[in-house]
C-alpha cells in the first residue's frame, strides 16, 4: 500500500483494474437482460393471446392443448385441430380457438404452474388430469366412460395391422415377423392379443427398415407404416388386426364456465362432423364414425371397417400403463400367467 502511495502502479495493474470493472459491468448488464428475457418469455403467451383477440375482435378464447402419445399417419394432428378451429371461427365470429401442442411432461409442468386449457386432445396414456374433465352428455364411448358417463370422445383413430411384401399371412411365425413398437403405444399388448408370442419387437423406424430390406417377411405395425409404404410406392398387402387397439385420439372439455363449456361442445360437434372427419385422409388417420377411404388406399379402407374387440381405459394411470407393457413383454416371451394378468386390464 505504501509503495502505491508513493509510486504510480504499473501499467499492468491499471489494465487489470479496468478489466475487472468492465467484467462487473458486463455481468450486471447480463443479469438484467436475463431477468427481462425470462419475464418476457412467461408474459409472451398471455400478451399474444390478448393482442390476437383484440385484433380479431373476439370476446372469448378457447384454449386447446394437443398431446400426441402415438405415431399418427402423416402430417400433424395439431395442425388438423387448427384447421378445424378456423372453420369454427368462421361460424363463431366472437370466439378464437388457440391450439397449443404439448408433450405429456410439458403439459404437466404447465398445469403445475397454474395453467389450464378449456379442452385437451390426448391419446391413451396422455390424460394428464382426468379429474378435471367434464361429462359429455350427448356422447357415448366405451373406453372413456366412468360411472356411466362419457368424459372424452375420439376425434380420430388408428389401427394395428399386419403387412407383407410377398406373403399371404398363412405362414407367419415369431421368427419371420417383426413388431413395430412406438414410444407410447401399446403395440406389445396388441401383439400379445394377436398371439404373436416370441415375435421380435423393435423401434418403429428400425422395424420398418428391417421389413423393407427383407430381414422379416411380415411386419406388425400401424397406420404410420401405411403412410411410409405409400410414400415409398411399395407394393404391399395389409391386413387389419382385430383383437385390440389403444390408438384413439380423444378430446375432453375442462372449462366449467357455462358459456365456454357450450362453446367447447360446439367445437367438438364440428370436429366430429362428417365434413371435417372426411378431411382426416389428409393426415392418414381414420374416423371412429364414418367410412372415409376408397380403393385408392385399400389398407385403410379395410382397416376402417374393423372395430377392435378390446381396448383400454382412455384414463389409464401411469403405473397401470407401465405394468401392462411389462406383462405384455412377458406374455410375448411365452408367460401365460402374464397374459392372463394383462387381459384383466382390457375393456
Amino acid at each position: 500500500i505504501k509503495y502505491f502511495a508513493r509510486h504510480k502502479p504499473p501499467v499492468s495493474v491499471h489494465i487489470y483494474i479496468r478489466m475487472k470493472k468492465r467484467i462487473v459491468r458486463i455481468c450486471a448488464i447480463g443479469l438484467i437482460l436475463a431477468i427481462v428475457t425470462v419475464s418476457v418469455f412467461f408474459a409472451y403467451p398471455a400478451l399474444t393471446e390478448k393482442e390476437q383477440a383484440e385484433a380479431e375482435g373476439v370476446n372469448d378464447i378457447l384454449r386447446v392443448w394437443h398431446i400426441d402419445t402415438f405415431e399418427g399417419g402423416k402430417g400433424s394432428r395439431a395442425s388438423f385441430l387448427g384447421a378445424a378451429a378456423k372453420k369454427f371461427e368462421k361460424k363463431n365470429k366472437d370466439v378464437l380457438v388457440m391450439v397449443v401442442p404439448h408433450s405429456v411432461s410439458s403439459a404437466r409442468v404447465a398445469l403445475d404452474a397454474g395453467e389450464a386449457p378449456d379442452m385437451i386432445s390426448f391419446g391413451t396414456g396422455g390424460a394428464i388430469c382426468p379429474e378435471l374433465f367434464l361429462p359429455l352428455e350427448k356422447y357415448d364411448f366405451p373406453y372413456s366412460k366412468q360411472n356411466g358417463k362419457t368424459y372424452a370422445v375420439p376425434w380420430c383413430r388408428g389401427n394395428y395391422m399386419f403387412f407383407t411384401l410377398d406373403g399371404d399371412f398363412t405362414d407367419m411365425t415369431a421368427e419371420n415377423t417383426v413388431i413395430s413398437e412406438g414410444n407410447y403405444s401399446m403395440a406389445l399388448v396388441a401383439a400379445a392379443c394377436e398371439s404373436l408370442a416370441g415375435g421380435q419387437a423393435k423401434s418403429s423406424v428400425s422395424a420398418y427398415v428391417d421389413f423393407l430390406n427383407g430381414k422379416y417377411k411380415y411386419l406388425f405395425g400401424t397406420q404410420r407404416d401405411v403412410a411410409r409404404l405409400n410414400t415409398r410406392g411399395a407394393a404391399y398387402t395389409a391386413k387389419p388386426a382385430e383383437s385390440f387397439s389403444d390408438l384413439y385420439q380423444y378430446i375432453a372439455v375442462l372449462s366449467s364456465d357455462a358459456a365456454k363449456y357450450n362453446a367447447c361442445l360446439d367445437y367438438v360437434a364440428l370436429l366430429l362432423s362428417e365434413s371435417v372427419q372426411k378431411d382426416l385422409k389428409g393426415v392418414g388417420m381414420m374416423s371412429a364414425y364414418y367410412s372415409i377411404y376408397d380403393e385408392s388406399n385399400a389398407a385403410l379402407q379395410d382397416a376402417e371397417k374393423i372395430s377392435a374387440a378390446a381396448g383400454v381405459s382412455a384414463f389409464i394411470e401411469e403405473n397401470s400403463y407401465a405394468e401392462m407393457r411389462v406383462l405384455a413383454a412377458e406374455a410375448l416371451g411365452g408367460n401365460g400367467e402374464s397374459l392372463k394378468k394383462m387381459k384383466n386390464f382390457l375393456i
Side-chain angles (χ1 to χ4, degrees), residues 217-256:
K217 188 173 183 178
Y218 297 100
L219 167 69
F220 185 70
T222 70
Q223 69 289 331
R224 177 62 179 142
D225 297 294
V226 172
R228 287 174 175 142
L229 290 165
N230 286 347
T231 299
R232 190 177 179 85
Y236 68 94
T237 305
K239 184 177 78 168
E242 302 185 27
S243 299
F244 170 87
S245 182
D246 61 308
L247 303 177
Y248 297 96
Q249 188 75 33
Y250 296 94
I251 191 162
V253 176
L254 290 75
S255 180
S256 57

Side-chain angles (χ1 to χ4, degrees), residues 96-339:
L96 178 69
V97 181
M98 302 192 71
V99 178
V100 180
H102 269 289
S103 65
V104 171
S105 57
S106 68
R108 283 177 176 153
V109 169
L111 276 177
D112 290 342
E115 299 178 38
D118 300 297
M119 291 175 276
I120 288 184
S121 164
F122 65 97
T124 304
I128 56 173
C129 53
E131 70 280 0
L132 300 179
F133 295 177
L134 298 175
L136 303 175
E137 302 293 347
K138 296 180 180 180
Y139 300 97
D140 181 50
F141 195 70
Y143 307 140
S144 53
K145 294 181 75 170
Q146 291 185 327
N147 300 318
K149 294 183 178 181
T150 296
Y151 287 85
V153 286
W155 64 266
C156 71
R157 71 180 181 98
N159 206 76
Y160 292 103
M161 311 173 82
F162 297 96
F163 298 89
T164 184
L165 301 177
D166 58 1
D168 60 4
F169 306 109
T170 59
D171 60 340
M172 280 194 303
T173 65
E175 291 73 26
N176 67 9
T177 303
V178 62
I179 300 167
S180 175
E181 184 179 13
N183 289 333
Y184 291 100
S185 73
M186 292 186 173
L188 298 185
V189 175
C193 289
E194 292 289 340
S195 302
L196 291 178
Q200 176 71 42
K202 296 189 176 185
S203 69
S204 174
V205 174
S206 294
Y208 168 75
V209 171
D210 284 352
F211 166 70
L212 204 60
N213 289 337
K215 188 173 181 180
Y216 297 92
K217 188 173 183 178
Y218 297 100
L219 167 69
F220 185 70
T222 70
Q223 69 289 331
R224 177 62 179 142
D225 297 294
V226 172
R228 287 174 175 142
L229 290 165
N230 286 347
T231 299
R232 190 177 179 85
Y236 68 94
T237 305
K239 184 177 78 168
E242 302 185 27
S243 299
F244 170 87
S245 182
D246 61 308
L247 303 177
Y248 297 96
Q249 188 75 33
Y250 296 94
I251 191 162
V253 176
L254 290 75
S255 180
S256 57
D257 176 85
K260 278 196 170 185
Y261 174 78
N262 287 326
C264 288
L265 290 182
D266 289 342
Y267 176 76
V268 172
L270 181 140
L271 185 61
L272 303 187
S273 66
E274 186 173 5
S275 61
V276 173
Q277 290 282 292
K278 285 185 175 179
D279 291 338
L280 287 171
K281 288 183 291 187
V283 289
M285 299 298 292
M286 294 179 290
S287 170
Y289 315 99
Y290 305 100
S291 297
I292 62 175
Y293 288 95
D294 56 27
E295 60 278 359
S296 63
N297 193 330
L300 293 186
Q301 183 185 37
D302 289 342
E304 68 182 358
K305 298 173 185 176
I306 300 300
S307 179
V312 69
S313 172
F315 316 122
I316 187 169
E317 296 180 357
E318 189 174 356
N319 58 340
S320 297
Y321 186 87
E323 184 180 355
M324 277 194 77
R325 293 182 68 159
V326 170
L327 290 171
E330 293 174 350
L332 289 173
N335 190 321
E337 190 61 32
S338 292
L339 180 62

